[in-house]
């Protein structure tokens, strides 16, 4: 992962050094459809919707580098059956997500472009809440300490710019285990995201 981030840094420096590079930045607002997938058949995770707000920087003309910082609140409900008993637990995560994307403009006009992009993203968990707070020993998540404070993922997607408005559609796949407890449970983030931004310049 460090080598990948180094490659993105080198690409950024090359784009900034390019005299014809285009630079833009601005705020963005997004919609997330979030699911915390796991490897236990008896544990089911619901898909819930949320919003994110953040900002982006884009450097480059046809090939570009786009880092972002987005604040979001993700929620899901985990349910597990034990005979006739169903245990349900609400998970709420407040986080700062920092993607670092490389993209290419397949159509590149002065007032319109169509783009594809991909790259890593790191999520820093700022606050974790479980409800109910106390679960019995059968439940894999015993406390907020069972969830890691940061996770890595990969984002892929496409985007469209019309004048100063930029729209992105992305899918995010978790690549490391978000679970930090004592069992063999594996949890990974799956997120579908649609965002709209404004290029200030």
């Amino acid at each position: 992962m460090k080598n990948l981030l180094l490659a993105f840094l080198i690409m950024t420096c090359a784009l900034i050094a390019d005299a014809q590079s285009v630079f833009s930045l601005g705020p963005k607002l997004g919609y997330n459809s979030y699911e915390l997938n796991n490897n236990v058949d008896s544990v089911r995770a619901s898909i819930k919707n949320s919003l994110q707000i953040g900002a982006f920087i884009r450097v480059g003309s046809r090939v570009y580098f786009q880092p972002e910082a987005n604040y979001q609140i993700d929620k899901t409900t985990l349910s597990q059956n034990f005979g006739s008993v169903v245990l349900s637990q609400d998970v709420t995560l407040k986080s700062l997500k920092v993607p670092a994307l490389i993209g290419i403009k397949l159509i590149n006009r002065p007032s319109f472009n169509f783009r594809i992009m991909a790259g890593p993203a790191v999520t820093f968990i700022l606050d974790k809440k479980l409800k109910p707070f106390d679960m019995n020993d059968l439940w894999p998540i015993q406390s907020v300490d069972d969830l890691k404070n940061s996770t890595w993922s990969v984002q892929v997607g496409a985007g469209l710019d019309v004048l100063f408005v930029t729209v992105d559609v992305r899918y995010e796949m978790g690549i490391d285990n978000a679970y930090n407890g004592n069992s063999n449970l594996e949890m990974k983030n799956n997120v579908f995201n649609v965002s709209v931004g404004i290029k200030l310049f």
Side-chain angles (χ1 to χ4, degrees):
M1 185 59 67
K2 291 182 179 179
N3 292 335
L4 183 59
L5 292 177
L6 180 60
F8 275 95
L9 180 60
I10 293 173
M11 175 69 75
T12 305
C13 293
L15 290 171
I16 293 174
D18 183 358
Q20 296 184 0
S21 285
V22 177
F23 176 84
S24 60
L25 62 82
K28 59 180 301 190
L29 180 68
Y31 155 87
N32 289 333
S33 179
Y34 177 83
E35 182 181 20
L36 192 61
N37 277 349
N38 65 84
N39 63 336
V40 178
D41 293 337
S42 61
V43 178
R44 298 183 301 278
S46 64
I47 299 175
K48 293 194 175 182
N49 303 322
S50 62
L51 295 177
Q52 71 175 35
I53 185 170
F56 70 94
I57 298 174
R58 188 181 300 163
V59 183
S61 52
R62 185 172 184 84
V63 177
Y64 66 91
F65 174 68
Q66 182 168 320
E68 299 178 0
N70 299 306
Y71 176 78
Q72 60 190 46
I73 301 176
D74 294 316
K75 297 181 180 181
T76 190
T77 298
L78 302 177
S79 300
Q80 186 170 18
N81 293 334
F82 293 97
S84 59
V85 178
V86 179
L87 296 180
S88 295
Q89 186 173 49
D90 294 328
V91 182
T92 302
L93 303 175
K94 298 178 181 179
S95 59
L96 177 68
K97 189 180 297 292
V98 183
L101 306 171
I102 290 290
I104 182 170
K105 298 175 183 176
L106 302 180
I107 301 174
N108 191 18
R109 307 280 173 78
S111 60
F112 170 84
N113 70 59
F114 175 74
R115 306 168 280 108
I116 56 174
M117 72 207 77
V122 59
T123 302
F124 301 101
I125 308 300
L126 306 176
D127 185 57
K128 300 174 281 188
K129 290 184 179 179
L130 302 175
K131 186 179 179 181
F133 304 104
D134 298 322
M135 303 294 292
N136 62 41
D137 293 338
L138 296 176
W139 195 259
I141 300 181
Q142 298 294 312
S143 74
V144 293
D145 294 331
D146 287 347
L147 297 172
K148 290 183 179 178
N149 293 324
S150 63
T151 57
W152 285 93
S153 55
V154 171
Q155 293 187 355
V156 295
L160 180 70
D161 289 2
V162 179
L163 297 176
F164 58 87
V165 178
T166 178
V167 179
D168 284 358
V169 178
R170 300 179 198 164
Y171 180 68
E172 179 180 327
M173 300 165 287
I175 58 176
D176 67 342
N177 190 4
Y179 178 73
N180 198 35
N182 296 322
S183 73
N184 294 324
L185 184 67
E186 290 187 6
M187 292 184 168
K188 294 183 179 180
N189 299 324
N190 273 355
V191 184
F192 174 76
N193 169 262
V194 179
S195 64
V196 178
I198 301 296
K199 294 187 289 185
L200 298 179
F201 60 84

